[in-house]
Amino acid sequence: AQSVSQHNHHVILSEAASLELGCNYSYGGTVNLFWYVQYPGQHLQLLLKYFSGDPLVKGIKGFEAEFIKSKFSFNLRKPSVQWSDTAEYFCAVNLLYGGSQGNLIFGKGTKLSVKP
Amino acid sequence: GAVVSQHPSWVICKSGTSVKIECRSLDFQATTMFWYRQFPKQSLMLMATSNEGSKATYEQGVEKDKFLINHASLTLSTLTVTSAHPEDSSFYICSAGLPGGAVQETQYFGPGTRLLVL
């Protein structure tokens, strides 16, 4: 079965540190890729997405992610984190079958705690 | 724009009772809404896809008679957990897609409803 793996359950960083959260998926076909963020007490929000084109995508709040097809990966990065980035981050994959879109498959999430 | 609300935000009920959760798109019309379930430290699991004016499409393993979904209008979908049991305790999240575009591209999430069945 198709799955999405997020390797880190909980990441703790100091402010200004660089961030990279891993995401891998298991599906050999065409995919759309997403990162969602859930701040404490808030709902899921779209951080960035990849459909096609430049594999390096930029999202809100200085986040970016790179799609590496050969590695089935879509890692999330930020050069310098802030305390306000403390949240849970979910990677999600949308599998495309013959041009139609399947449903979103989510990873288990990575909790990021940034120490001031 | 593109705000999705859920009501109630949390509910506690006795075993055997039914609980209805509402999902509303506040400032747009959603032809498709999705219902997810999230267990602690687990990923969101899609339960069903709700299409306005038609029957919901349930994911494998999700009991249709247990989780009744109604999408009677373009701004409201409801999930009713019938004869709830403690194992149904979970966090239920809905999302809605904007019409006119790829559903997954424009999917917006509600804040979730925490259900505790005693």
Side-chain angles (χ1 to χ4, degrees), chain A residues 16-76:
Chain A
S18 64
L19 169 72
E20 181 160 3
L21 301 182
C23 173
N24 286 87
Y25 62 94
S26 61
Y27 179 64
T30 306
V31 295
N32 293 336
L33 299 157
F34 305 81
W35 275 97
Y36 284 89
V37 60
Q38 188 171 27
Y39 297 102
Q42 297 187 28
H43 56 86
L44 280 168
Q45 301 173 44
L46 182 65
L47 200 56
L48 49 78
K49 64 192 178 191
Y50 171 80
F51 274 41
S52 64
D54 188 345
L56 183 62
V57 293
K58 296 189 183 299
I60 60 173
K61 304 185 180 184
F63 285 91
E64 65 178 31
E66 185 176 12
F67 171 49
I68 303 179
K69 189 175 182 179
S70 61
K71 294 185 178 180
F72 301 93
S73 70
F74 190 55
N75 292 354
L76 180 70

Side-chain angles (χ1 to χ4, degrees), chain B residues 1-106:
Chain B
V3 177
V4 176
S5 70
Q6 281 184 242
H7 178 79
S9 56
W10 60 271
V11 58
I12 302 174
C13 69
K14 293 182 179 180
S15 184
T17 60
S18 294
V19 175
K20 180 185 283 188
I21 303 170
E22 293 183 347
C23 177
R24 293 181 184 274
S25 55
L26 297 185
D27 50 1
F28 67 99
Q29 294 181 326
T31 52
T32 304
M33 289 183 171
F34 302 84
W35 286 97
Y36 294 85
R37 184 173 179 178
Q38 185 181 26
F39 292 102
K41 299 183 180 180
Q42 299 288 325
S43 63
L44 280 74
M45 300 297 295
L46 180 66
M47 299 174 64
T49 303
S50 170
N51 296 296
E52 188 269 335
S54 64
K55 291 184 179 180
T57 302
Y58 290 82
E59 294 301 299
Q60 190 174 10
V62 178
E63 299 176 58
K64 302 177 183 182
D65 298 329
K66 174 77 172 175
F67 300 99
L68 300 179
I69 291 173
N70 183 280
H71 194 159
S73 77
L74 287 172
T75 59
L76 173 65
S77 176
T78 60
L79 168 68
T80 301
V81 183
T82 61
S83 186
H85 291 283
E87 57 266 28
D88 298 324
S89 298
S90 190
F91 193 53
Y92 294 88
I93 305 172
C94 75
S95 70
L98 283 172
V103 172
Q104 301 297 351
E105 178 180 4
T106 51

